[in-house]
Amino acid sequence: MTLRGSDVEKYLQHARRVPSAPAELRARVDARMKASLAATASTETPGSRPGAFRVLRSSTLVVGAACLALLCGLLVVGRNSVSPSRVPQCEKPGKRASASSDVANPVDAASFAEPVPAPTPSAPRALGRRPRRDVPRAAPSPSLGEERELLARARASLARGELSDADRTLAQHALRFDRGALAEEREALRVHAAAMGGDLDAAATLLRTFERRFPESVFTPTLRDALNRYRGATTQ
Amino acid sequence: MTRSIQSLWVPAAAIESTPDKQRAEFAEIYDQHFDFVLETVRRLGCAVSDREDLVHEVFLRAHTSLGKFDATRAMRPWLFGIAFRVVSEQRRSGRNRFEVAAREWESASERASPESDAIAQDARAKVDLALQRLSVEQREVFVAHELCEVPVSDLVEVLHAPLNTLYSRLRLARAAFADALDDILGRKEEP
């Protein structure tokens, strides 16, 4: 006798039931959630960010904003298309950091990147800024500094049009920090590098991979837009 | 489960920076869907030792992106999508041990659960074993639709595949699952 239809369904009905979680596992996750959310809350100060940003972790936001700004700048370098009237949407309270905005000009990109803190903790603080908070930030890990440095080199190479250097640097980052804190930014730069090199099929493939790996990335709309612009440029 | 975790994050900073409404919403989601998330992670095939980490990660991401959740839609498909991404990332990283024996998934406390009788336990174990014989892609769509009861149309965004592809994959997964169950049961046993 071969099981089919209703026989399989009998088993599935049992399997669909969701049993109660083991008490000890639930207690452990409860405790970890408590610690995680308290830590998240303690790194935020009231009113320190627009309302729509309050659930985003600060580190993600800062790194994401910086890299989005740099990507915008690179798009300008690569395409030489300027839209001076644009204002970075991330600066508007209540607006999420959406890359639905068009490519910004270099001035916009610079102003967009302005709130990003200096990469070294010892950098002098600008006058008139808010006083240091009571809760100290965790010191950045040494590997994060190395990641930043590698990606900065890759961006600089892209800006100069030295694609092979950029590819090498990105590959180096991937080798050393495959799942590093800035892996998302690296993969975004890989898409951009492929597009700049004229290999739009490879860029599209990389973009699909990027979307699967980082489905909620703020870079995705910008990358899609950039790819479309490159496609438009090649068909003209 | 009526237990609430609202009291878990009550430091002053949390109260000041997180609106009460949002906190209450998340606490309710956490309480109502904890078991579902745990079971989803298990069904997707992660090892018992990784479940705690994965469930924790799923709820952290849910907390982070709660503002983007469309309240007009069902919560479970949304949570399934997050759980799917977390498990997929874990699978790609190769840090965990998938394809473990189904019996390993059942901790001592699960086996002692009063709401699970012997027949149901046995049926679930056989289903788990049959799931392991599916390919990863078939398993994902089968677990999502047949066990977690997520509509196929909602899986397009989660699994990043066209609707027709998903239906085709589901059809193949059903056939493979039935074959696997046949084989496990020796074509004799029934639940």
Side-chain angles (χ1 to χ4, degrees), chain A residues 1-4 7-12 14-38 40-42 44-46 54-57 96 179 211-216, chain B residues 1 3 5 8-9 14 16-17 19 22 26 30-31 34-36 38-39 43 52-53 56 59-60 63-64 68 85 89 92-93 107 109-110 115 120 123-124 127 146-147 149 160 177-179 181-182 185 187 189-191:
Chain A
M1 183 184 73
T2 300
L3 284 171
R4 283 292 184 271
D7 295 319
V8 172
E9 185 58 28
K10 288 178 189 172
Y11 281 89
L12 291 179
H14 286 297
R16 283 187 193 118
R17 289 177 51 202
V18 177
S20 295
E24 61 268 36
L25 187 145
R26 169 71 189 252
R28 286 198 301 272
V29 179
D30 283 359
R32 291 176 64 177
M33 285 301 296
K34 173 185 176 182
S36 299
L37 296 180
T40 302
S42 68
E44 297 171 359
T45 45
R54 61 176 173 256
V55 296
L56 294 176
R57 278 174 278 192
R96 191 171 180 276
R179 300 185 64 79
E211 288 170 334
R212 278 198 297 275
R213 185 170 175 183
F214 308 104
E216 297 176 0
Chain B
M1 183 172 290
R3 183 166 35 151
I5 65 163
L8 288 179
W9 46 87
E16 288 169 6
S17 61
Q22 182 194 351
F26 180 73
Y30 182 90
D31 276 338
F34 184 94
D35 296 343
F36 171 77
L38 176 62
E39 183 68 0
R43 286 165 175 167
E52 179 182 329
D53 289 342
H56 177 237
F59 278 110
L60 275 184
H63 180 265
T64 300
K68 290 181 283 185
R85 285 189 287 274
E89 288 169 15
R92 281 197 294 270
S93 75
S107 69
S109 59
E110 277 182 297
E115 65 185 80
R124 288 183 61 204
V127 168
E146 295 291 353
L147 298 182
E149 301 179 277
H160 297 286
F177 179 82
D179 287 343
L181 203 53
D182 275 348
L185 297 174
R187 307 188 179 197
E189 298 178 44
E190 291 188 16

Side-chain angles (χ1 to χ4, degrees), chain A residues 61-83:
Chain A
L61 180 64
V62 169
V63 172
C67 293
L68 186 60
L70 288 166
L71 276 174
C72 290
L74 286 172
L75 286 173
V76 173
V77 170
R79 294 278 297 120
N80 196 26
S81 65
V82 179
S83 53

